[in-house]
Amino acid sequence: MELDEFFVTGEPLIYGGMVAIVLVSSAIIFILTYFKKWTWLWRDWLTTVDHKKIGIMYILSALAMLFRGGMDALMMRVQLAFPDMNFLAAQHYDEVFTTHGTVMIIFMAMPFLIGLMNIVVPLQIGARDFAFPYLNALSFWAFFFGAMLFNISFVIGGSPDAGWTSYTPLAGAAMSPGPGQNFYLLGLQLAGIGTLATGINLMVTILKLRAPGMKLFKMPIFSWSTLITCFIIIFAFPILTVALALLTIDRVFGSQFFTLTGEGLPMMWANLFWLWGHPEVYIVVLPAFGIFSEIIAAFAKKRLFGYTAMVWSIIIIAGLSFLVWVHHFFTMGAGAFVNSVFSISTMLIAVPTGVKIFNWLGTLHKSKIEFTTPMLWSLAFIPSFVMGGVTGVMLGMAAADFQFHNSYFLVAHFHYVLIAGTVFACFAGLIYWYPKMFNHKLNERLGKWSFWFFLIGFHVCFFPQYFIGLDGMPRRIFYSAPEWFTLNFISTVGAFGMGVGFAIFVYNIYYSLRYSERETDGDSWGVGRTLEWATPTPVPHYNFATLPEHLGYDAFMDMKENGETTYDKKKLKHIHMPSNSGKPIIMMAILSFASFALVFEWVTLAAIGLFGGIIMMIIRSFDYDEGYHVEVDEINEIERTARGLNNE
Amino acid sequence: MSEQELKSGPLEYQTEDGQLKIIGFWIFLAAELALFATLFATYAVLFGRTADGPTPGELFEAKSALIMTFLLLTSSFTCGIAIHEMRRGSKKGLITWLIITLILGLAFLGFEVDEFITYVHEGATIQTSAFWSGFFILTGTHGLHVTLGVGWATMILIQLFRRGITKVTSRKIFVVGLYWHFLDVVWIFIFTSVYLIGMVM
Ligand code: HEM
Ligand SMILES: [Cu+2]
């Protein structure tokens, strides 16, 4: 292979990207070296098994991916702003919407939520860590290297261009030759395995490590939504693993699963993809529901209305999510009966979702709302999400879908649910739990600016798209006809509004790091109801000095009323903690090298990499490191400083 | 993750860590079930889509499939005995039966490889037709699992030699045992839905 085949050439935008990558990497290396931070980075972060730090790394990566996906979005919107634009050529546009969709869902939304789960869930349930801290680190690095592998495709080898759904036969070897599609397959495969491992890990954590006395039906709602999400992950992700593997084998080793020769079935890809893909939609939206529930109850200063109904509606939604996948291809000739069945199952989901909406409204009813930024995001979510949901029901009517299918109506719908549901929740959750992670709050004034820019930009961007869609503009085209000009232009303006909102958000992180007051109280907002607010801030690495016991719903509320804390000097015992380990990052680096080789179909090299991965597993198998103990004196010292009890 | 000691139950359940890992492994098996279910569904959908290549009726052979089934079922049985010996605290018994299990597993793999080679000579490869792609990937994934199982159990065997039956090694053996039985169950499905049905149709 020639070097100029290896690097993507001929596109000014991509040369710009290459220069940016080189500059940013050199800057990072320079700064780390100059300030002698390499050992700090390795010891405190890259080898950490602490769920709180891993969570922070997830969120930082997800924000970077939101930036990347957002740049893609803006590029597309620029291209569509005027008829006859020549900003992106057809091929480049295809690549951009493909990477945008994939990055947003797989490498932004899911990791962002998993990051929040990492940080919050063990604290909420009164646990000291994940059930398997080492595996947790492994999962993170699987996601991280998967994301990197996918992202370098635009400078090395070329990006995938068959849409985030990668339908066959378009995505097969015959019609998408070259490495682009392989990047998609292997990047997702690596990240997906990490997600599956996280699902198992969190499920065991929640089932087995709850503080003594915390019954399942007394568990905070975000932890509940996490538990159900794990359930979906465990049954949906293996389907993705298989689908990706089969297509990889088709492309690299010439099997015939999805080809047109050899009597393969391209439709089988659509089925497998959406059997995973629809549940995936709920994997990114159920935790979001959990976050909103926590925040709404906290700032309405009321107990969550209809807790049990909330839990059951999550469970029912999770079950139904596996029964609707065919609504993604009503128009592909399944016949009236099949379409009707899936049409009905689709619309059924609106019922438990409606229950949730009424419960949020019930919580707000007659309450004293405190309008902090996390609360603003949560309040804005309700009407925005309803608009997405109602149009979803419209799409779910099979007959009508023949009109809406693959038009901008659909693009508007799924952005309404994904952004109002997931992205708002990510922002809300990050701001809400920020003091737990970083020992200071984000600035509220800047937070509100970013909120209003983003919210207004969001509606200006996507609301017109319903009408562009009804006017007949298809999705995934790089050309906008003159009669769609006005609405398209408005939409692009809105997109830039969201861009500004995001930029303010990022600036706020920097600003608050420098200027925000440091926290002194663990219950930063003063309205905390659940256990994570019972820990001091910053949270000690072992989370709880003594495990709280006999917990009711809203456990921390009870503790506040009774003047209790999670630090009982008399009950202190030494705490067992796992040691840090460099093996997870090394193992995943090796496996991502193997994947990279397979992307270019260098099979021998890939096999060598895989062998390296196996060696790492063997090394782990012989590893009998049993961690270490934090002794009572040390705990005492840490808790006294953290709780400001120094002159006791 | 505390190493809290728990009084009752078999050795592998006596640390909290051991309990967590065993439950985690059960959940992992649920995911494996979803994985194999997807592969079975794929195979079923592609059944009969042999293009111009050979059909399963022409190639499948009752004898080798039966021998393979016999080998794997027996290995599941000997694996059970190994666990029983472990419970009795007999290191020697455990190691002996584990080695027998591994040998049976290897024999199974030998027959499978032999079968694959025969098919390839008769003109059925993963590239021949969608049906054969489905066949090789389904049985091959199972075979790969068995291979991994053999490798994994061998590593634990070495640890057993060195450390004897401890709370940690017993847990590892127990987990690998679960895995081995699981593969046996999957094989029963392969035997019926692939070989038996393939020969009849
Ligand atoms: C930040 C504002 C965003 C803007 C301006 C935006 C804009 C767009 C545009 C213009 C398209 C291409 C439509 C087409 O030509 O077919 C698109 C597709 C898509 N977007 Fe977004 N988007 C944004 C955020 C998001 C987020 C947050 C997600 C997911 C969490 C997301 C998921 C998707 C998906 C899945 C597709 C379909 C890709 C495909 O057709 O393969 N977007 N978006
Ligand atoms: Cu769907």
Side-chain angles (χ1 to χ4, degrees), chain A residues 187-201:
Chain A
L188 261 65
Q189 189 69 282
L190 262 186
I193 291 168
T195 308
L196 179 61
T198 302
I200 297 174
N201 206 340

Side-chain angles (χ1 to χ4, degrees), chain B residues 111-182:
Chain B
F111 273 89
E112 183 151 65
V113 171
D114 184 60
E115 183 195 325
F116 283 3
I117 292 174
T118 321
Y119 291 172
V120 170
H121 279 299
E122 313 243 357
T125 69
I126 58 166
Q127 298 165 345
T128 310
S129 65
F131 170 80
W132 287 107
S133 301
F135 169 84
F136 279 110
I137 296 302
L138 173 58
T139 52
T141 305
H142 176 267
L144 198 65
H145 275 72
V146 176
T147 316
L148 281 176
V150 171
W152 181 15
T154 312
M155 293 305 133
I156 302 174
L157 203 59
I158 298 172
Q159 295 168 36
L160 263 183
F161 270 119
R162 287 199 196 157
R163 295 166 182 267
I165 304 176
T166 68
K167 284 172 189 147
V168 179
T169 49
S170 65
R171 181 206 73 226
K172 291 189 178 195
I173 293 285
F174 184 73
V175 165
V176 98
L178 286 180
Y179 184 70
W180 199 260
H181 294 309
F182 170 79

Side-chain angles (χ1 to χ4, degrees), chain A residues 274 277-279 281-282 321 324-328 346 349 413:
Chain A
W274 285 112
H278 193 85
V281 175
Y282 288 92
S321 75
V324 302
W325 79 95
V326 172
H327 66 209
H328 293 274
T346 300
I349 293 195
H413 153 71

Side-chain angles (χ1 to χ4, degrees), chain A residues 573-629:
Chain A
K573 270 196 280 190
H574 65 79
I575 297 174
H576 177 257
M577 296 297 291
S579 328
N580 284 359
S581 169
K583 284 180 218 100
I585 182 172
I586 295 174
M587 174 160 162
M588 283 306 154
I590 294 176
L591 287 182
S592 77
F593 165 80
S595 308
F596 182 79
L598 199 57
V599 164
F600 288 93
E601 308 188 7
W602 300 329
V603 177
T604 326
L605 212 55
I608 294 172
L610 195 63
F611 187 68
I614 291 176
I615 301 271
M616 287 306 293
M617 283 186 221
I618 294 176
I619 293 177
R620 167 64 180 168
S621 172
F622 282 86
D623 175 5
Y624 275 72
D625 183 346
E626 287 184 351
Y628 63 99
H629 285 120

Side-chain angles (χ1 to χ4, degrees), chain B residues 9-119:
Chain B
L11 202 56
E12 64 271 18
Y13 282 99
Q14 284 184 7
T15 61
E16 191 188 359
D17 189 47
Q19 289 192 353
L20 288 178
K21 290 207 165 119
I22 291 170
I23 291 166
F25 197 77
W26 275 108
I27 298 177
F28 170 75
L29 285 184
E32 287 272 80
L33 205 65
L35 184 117
F36 276 105
T38 312
L39 287 173
F40 274 108
T42 307
Y43 175 81
V45 168
L46 297 177
F47 191 83
R49 305 185 74 88
T50 46
D52 298 327
T55 61
E58 285 165 33
L59 297 192
F60 284 174
E61 240 190 273
K63 193 166 139 233
S64 78
L66 273 172
I67 295 176
M68 282 157 79
T69 309
F70 173 77
L71 287 170
L72 208 61
L73 287 185
T74 317
S75 81
S76 212
F77 180 66
T78 56
C79 177
I81 301 180
I83 302 286
H84 180 74
E85 291 291 320
M86 176 175 93
R87 291 274 158 76
R88 281 186 35 207
S90 155
K91 177 174 162 187
K92 206 166 130 243
L94 167 57
I95 289 178
T96 317
W97 286 103
L98 203 58
I99 291 178
I100 297 177
T101 308
L102 291 182
I103 291 172
L104 289 168
L106 282 172
F108 167 87
L109 284 173
F111 273 89
E112 183 151 65
V113 171
D114 184 60
E115 183 195 325
F116 283 3
I117 292 174
T118 321
Y119 291 172

Side-chain angles (χ1 to χ4, degrees), chain A residues 73 76 93 97 100 104 163-164 408 414-415 423 475-476:
Chain A
M76 288 188 285
Y93 189 89
F97 72 64
H100 164 77
M104 283 297 196
W164 89 285
Y408 255 76
F414 71 66
H415 283 95
V423 180
R475 84 195 263 212
R476 295 177 174 171

